[in-house]
Structures are given as structure tokens and as C-alpha cells.
Amino acid sequence: MEIHLSWPQALAGTLAVALPLAVALFLLRRFVRAGRRDGDSDWTVPAVDGHGHGSSFFHRWDARYKLIGLLLFAFAAASLTSLALAMAALAISLAAALACRIPMRGALRRLLAMSGFLLMLLLVIPFTAASRPGETLLYFPGLPGLPFHVGGLLLALTIVCKASAVALLMEPLFATAPLTVTLAACARLGVPESLGRMVLLCHRYIFVFLHEMSRMYRSMRVRGFVPATDLATASAVGNFLGMLFVRSFERTGRVYEAMLCRGYQGTFPSAATFAATAADYAKTFFWVMSGAALVSLDLLRLAPW
Amino acid sequence: MHISDGVLPMSVTLASAVVTVAGVALSLRQVRNEELPKIAVVTSSFFVASLVHLPFGPTSVHLILPGVVGALLGPASFLSIALGLFLQSLLFQFGGLTALGANALMMGLPALLCGLLFQSLRGTTLVRHGIAGAVCGGLGTLLAALILAALLALAGEDFFGVAKIALLAHIPVFFVEAGVSAFAVTFLFRVKPELLAGGRPGR
């Protein structure tokens, strides 16, 4: 079916889609920005486990089973092909993000971080999707050679829902326990312990280096550095990164030697103990089953669209 | 550019996750215990460097630097890239958790190749190092963009347009990366040349 839109129809349709989206993005931006604090604090890198101690549904869930249950659900959600089911997954994830009772700013910041990529998909896929027989094509006035595929728009919306669903699960998954506990749980599930140790080291170093970088960059700006598109900028930034790296390397080398002096033998002592209860099994069962239900409905094509 | 969750079909997602897990396991086995802190340092400093945005004409690009990671870490660069991407997903949601495998392949394979290439190109002079840095920096980004486009194309005909746009969007990054990598490598050559041995001791 081909529908040729008139100017008023095209304008009204575009506005009906773009306006709510723009308003939502604007509000999201304002809300996330409002959370930034001034001064020396590192607002740019949120400590992932800043709210790791709590008593919500997710905080009380054994970290090993939480990883299994939520990861399986995340993969199930990412595999969906139907828009209705992707929206259902998004609703479940949203409920989870609310249920973990930590400030929503972290979750919203995640959505904002993805918004550029997802907007690009929303804009590009409808105009470039493959042609299928019998599909609905909209022709915008002034764009005779560039049909708008309604199927492509549905596909892009499905992706937006799935990506947001998995992103909203990140806070319940990683922010509801101290990072050390989550990593110890990963180790119990068979992830090499050295990998967890490196995640822990990196998570710490990132804050340190970020602070170092902002100090160095500030002093560059004070000395008159203005980034532009030229070789001088490339040279300044290249040297800046090289210096950042050398400083970081020497600093962490000293820290490592100090650790060795204090008896570090390649492992961090972990006080995490795990004991799963019936409630943990029930929670895991619930999440695995909801993931399985979504996937089977999707495979059987039982959803309306 | 990072792929977010739900873009690639499950088959591609799972296949790339399997390859990434195998790659990480392989590089973990080769890495000695005392090298782990160095890998963590490189990972974190490039994580931080990837937050630097540089203007390119009217837009801005952010650095990825797979070429320099390859030059610094050699065979361990795949591990470092996978780790860095996991942290980016964990902290910022740059790239989805389920798409981690695909993203790690996209950036990790170029880093590995650039590491090998850098060792054979670098020679002993400052100029050679600059050229090797520029080639690896540019090539790393180019390969990453090509793998990204290939992964998107695997997702089906609906994504060909996205793949083309992703390739075009990487053209400015390509130039910026080549320039910055060249200067970063020559800086390291002058200040601490032993770091550029690519994880090989004794060079």
C-alpha cells in the first residue's frame, strides 16, 4: 500500500512523533543535568555501587542468582522480534528499576547515554529498510524517491524498547550490591578471579585518572589551549594522553609496589559469603520464567504485532 | 560507535559473545600475574581518554585509540578492550551488556592487528614511530568501522542504511585518531620507550 501524504498530513504526523520525543529527551536531559554537583567531586563517573546497601527486592537477592536470573532475562529481552513483547519487557524492566529503590537518576542517565544511537536508528531505519511486498509505504511531499517504511519504524521502535529494557536492568543488576560482592558472585559462577580483580582495579583507577585528567586539562586551558580541527590540537592532545598514561603508569606502579610490601599475593581477601534461600530460588525462577515466556510467545508469533 | 542491546539478531549476538569469551580466556592464559596491573592501567587510562571529545568541523568526535592500546599491550590488548567496554557499559551504558561480545570484537580485533603491525613498522627512529602510530591509529579505527558495518549488515537488509551511515560517521574519527595516535606514540617513544614493546619483556 502506498500513501502519498499532503503537506499538512506530513507536518502533523512528524510533529505528533517528534514533539513528544523531543520533550521527553529535553526533560530527561534537564533532570540528569540537575543532578550534577559543582566543585571537585567526580559526577562524571558515578560509582556503580553507590547504593549497594539497601533492603529492596534486589538488594536481598543472592548476588549469584541475581546475575543468573537477570542476565538470562536480559538476553531473552534482547532477542525479541515483536514490538508488543518488547514493550512488555520494557514494562517489566521499568518495574524492576523502580523496585530496587535507588534514585532513578542513574537509570535515566543510562537512557540518555543511549539516546543518540537510538534516535539515529529511529531516523535512518524507516527510510532505508528493505522493501517487502504488501507493506505500507508513506511518501512525504518533496521526497518522491524516499519512501518511509512503516515496518521499518516498528522495527526501530522494537529496538528502542529492547535496548531501554536491558539498560533499565543494569541498575538492579549491578547497583544493588557492593561491586566486590557482585564480582565474588561472578567468580563463584566460573568467571576467572583475575578478571574480577582487574575490574575492581580499573573501577578504582578510572576515578583516580579522571581526576588527574581534569587537572591536566584545566591547566592546559589556563595556558591558552583551545581545541580546534588542526595538527596543533592533535599534537597537544597526543602529548596530553601520553603524559596521562606515563603518570598513571608510574603512579600505579608505586601503588603496586606498596601493595606488595604489605603482603599482596595476587588476590584480594573477600568477606563475601553466599547462602541461597528459598526466596532466592523463587526470584530466580520468576525472572527466568518471564524471560522464557516472552521468548516463547515471540517464537510462536502470538503477539499482535 | 557502540552497538546497543537488541540491535543484532540473537545468533550474531551469541556467536560474537562466544568468540569474545574465547579470546579473553586465551589472552588471560598468556598473561602473567604481574602483568595484570599494567593491563588495568592501560584499560583505565584509555577508558578515561575515550571521554575526551575533540572538535571536528561543526561536530565533535571522541577518541577510541585501539591502535595505541595494541601498541602498548600487544596480545593482551583484546583482554584490555573487552574489559574497558564492560566498564563503559557498566558505568555509562555506552554499548549494551548483551552486545558486549560484538562490541569487543569490533574494537578488540583491530587492536590486536594494530599491535602486530606496530611492532613490525616501528623501527628505531622517532619518525618511524610517528608513521607507525599514525598508520595503526587510522587503521584501527577503519577496521573497527568496517567490523561495525559488517555486524550491522549481518542483522539483515533493514540495517544496510545504518551500516553505511556508521561508516560515514567514522571518517572524521579516522583522521583525528591517526593524528592523535601518532603524537601519543612519539611522546611515549621520547619519554618511556620501554612501554612500546607491546607487552614483550626485554625489548
Side-chain angles (χ1 to χ4, degrees):
Chain A
M1 185 166 56
E2 294 186 6
I3 301 171
H4 291 267
L5 299 174
S6 64
W7 276 107
Q9 280 172 331
L11 272 180
T14 313
L15 275 183
V17 176
L19 207 61
L21 213 63
V23 171
L25 262 181
F26 177 73
L27 290 178
L28 197 62
R29 258 186 114 91
R30 278 209 37 196
F31 185 70
V32 170
R33 291 272 160 84
R36 291 185 174 182
R37 298 178 295 274
D38 292 327
D40 208 26
S41 54
D42 288 333
W43 50 260
T44 35
V45 179
V48 72
D49 55 354
H51 299 276
H53 299 279
S55 63
S56 75
F57 179 90
F58 291 98
H59 286 90
R60 280 181 280 117
W61 192 358
D62 187 314
R64 294 169 301 171
Y65 289 93
K66 185 162 63 184
L67 280 168
I68 297 175
L70 291 185
L71 276 180
L72 283 178
F73 183 82
F75 273 95
S79 76
L80 299 174
T81 53
S82 126
L83 178 58
L85 292 173
M87 286 165 106
L90 178 58
I92 297 176
S93 296
L94 188 63
L98 290 169
C100 64
R101 279 194 264 152
I102 52 182
M104 281 300 277
R105 184 161 283 132
L108 295 179
R109 189 184 281 131
R110 290 178 183 279
L111 294 185
L112 190 64
M114 301 188 306
S115 59
F117 183 77
L118 295 181
L119 272 181
M120 190 272 283
L121 291 184
L122 271 178
L123 204 66
V124 173
I125 292 182
F127 285 109
T128 57
S131 310
R132 289 182 182 79
E135 70 170 334
T136 311
L137 295 179
L138 302 182
Y139 283 92
F140 281 88
L143 290 173
L146 202 60
F148 183 93
H149 300 247
V150 176
L153 181 66
L154 293 183
L155 173 66
L157 283 175
T158 311
I159 292 174
V160 170
C161 288
K162 289 194 288 182
S164 312
V166 180
L168 285 174
L169 276 185
M170 293 292 279
E171 296 281 316
L173 183 54
F174 290 109
T176 55
L179 189 60
T180 45
V181 174
T182 308
L183 292 175
C186 287
R188 295 290 176 86
L189 294 175
V191 177
E193 226 179 309
S194 49
L195 217 54
R197 232 161 28 232
M198 298 222 320
V199 171
L200 215 54
L201 279 178
C202 288
H203 184 243
R204 174 72 199 119
Y205 287 165
I206 284 167
F207 290 90
V208 178
F209 298 171
L210 200 75
H211 191 245
E212 179 84 27
M213 179 176 86
S214 62
R215 243 165 34 102
M216 284 168 66
Y217 193 69
R218 205 180 310 138
S219 55
M220 278 167 78
R221 294 302 292 260
V222 166
R223 284 163 179 77
F225 171 69
V226 178
T229 315
D230 54 13
L231 217 55
T233 304
S235 152
V237 172
N239 290 343
F240 164 66
L241 291 179
M243 195 66 226
L244 175 72
F245 180 73
V246 168
R247 280 193 192 179
S248 312
F249 192 77
E250 290 181 343
R251 184 170 182 172
T252 46
R254 287 197 301 275
V255 171
Y256 186 65
E257 281 160 15
M259 279 160 68
L260 288 180
C261 289
R262 284 160 181 77
Y264 176 69
Q265 289 182 329
T267 51
F268 295 127
S270 165
T273 51
F274 297 100
T277 61
D280 293 318
Y281 297 131
K283 287 172 184 175
T284 314
F285 182 75
F286 167 75
W287 281 94
V288 173
M289 277 301 127
S290 5
L294 286 175
V295 170
S296 32
L297 284 176
D298 193 54
L299 289 178
L300 296 171
R301 310 211 172 276
L302 285 177
W305 17 268
Chain B
M1 195 181 292
H2 304 278
I3 302 175
S4 69
D5 294 292
V7 175
L8 301 176
M10 218 0 88
S11 51
V12 179
T13 307
L14 290 180
S16 46
V18 167
V19 176
T20 298
V21 167
V24 167
L26 212 71
S27 32
L28 258 188
R29 199 181 287 178
Q30 288 175 343
V31 168
R32 282 169 293 127
N33 225 359
E34 55 272 23
E35 281 178 313
L36 292 181
K38 180 185 173 183
I39 298 172
V41 175
V42 175
T43 306
S44 329
S45 34
F46 285 95
F47 180 103
V48 170
S50 74
L51 299 174
V52 176
H53 282 256
L54 292 179
F56 188 90
T59 63
S60 79
V61 301
H62 82 87
L63 300 166
I64 330 171
L65 300 168
V68 185
V69 176
L72 285 166
L73 289 179
S77 51
F78 190 79
L79 175 62
S80 164
I81 297 267
L83 200 62
L85 287 169
F86 172 67
L87 282 157
Q88 288 203 331
S89 179
L90 186 68
L91 291 171
F92 294 124
Q93 200 63 35
F94 292 159
L97 191 64
T98 62
L100 184 61
N103 282 320
L105 281 188
M106 170 176 113
M107 312 266 186
L109 289 184
L112 269 181
L113 276 175
C114 288
L116 288 175
L117 188 68
F118 180 78
Q119 292 307 328
S120 54
L121 279 184
R122 71 188 187 118
T124 48
T125 60
L126 185 71
V127 177
R128 283 283 298 267
H129 271 80
I131 294 169
V135 169
C136 289
L139 194 70
T141 319
L142 183 69
L143 285 174
L146 287 176
I147 296 177
L148 170 68
L151 284 171
L152 285 173
L154 276 179
E157 218 182 313
D158 289 332
F159 291 88
F160 285 1
V162 181
K164 276 182 213 152
I165 288 195
L167 268 181
L168 284 179
H170 272 83
I171 291 175
V173 190
F174 174 76
F175 288 108
V176 174
E177 288 269 329
V180 171
S181 301
F183 283 109
V185 166
T186 48
F187 179 88
L188 289 173
F189 178 69
R190 276 176 288 149
V191 177
K192 241 176 140 53
E194 67 270 23
L195 287 178
L196 292 172
R200 277 183 245 169
R203 272 196 69 176

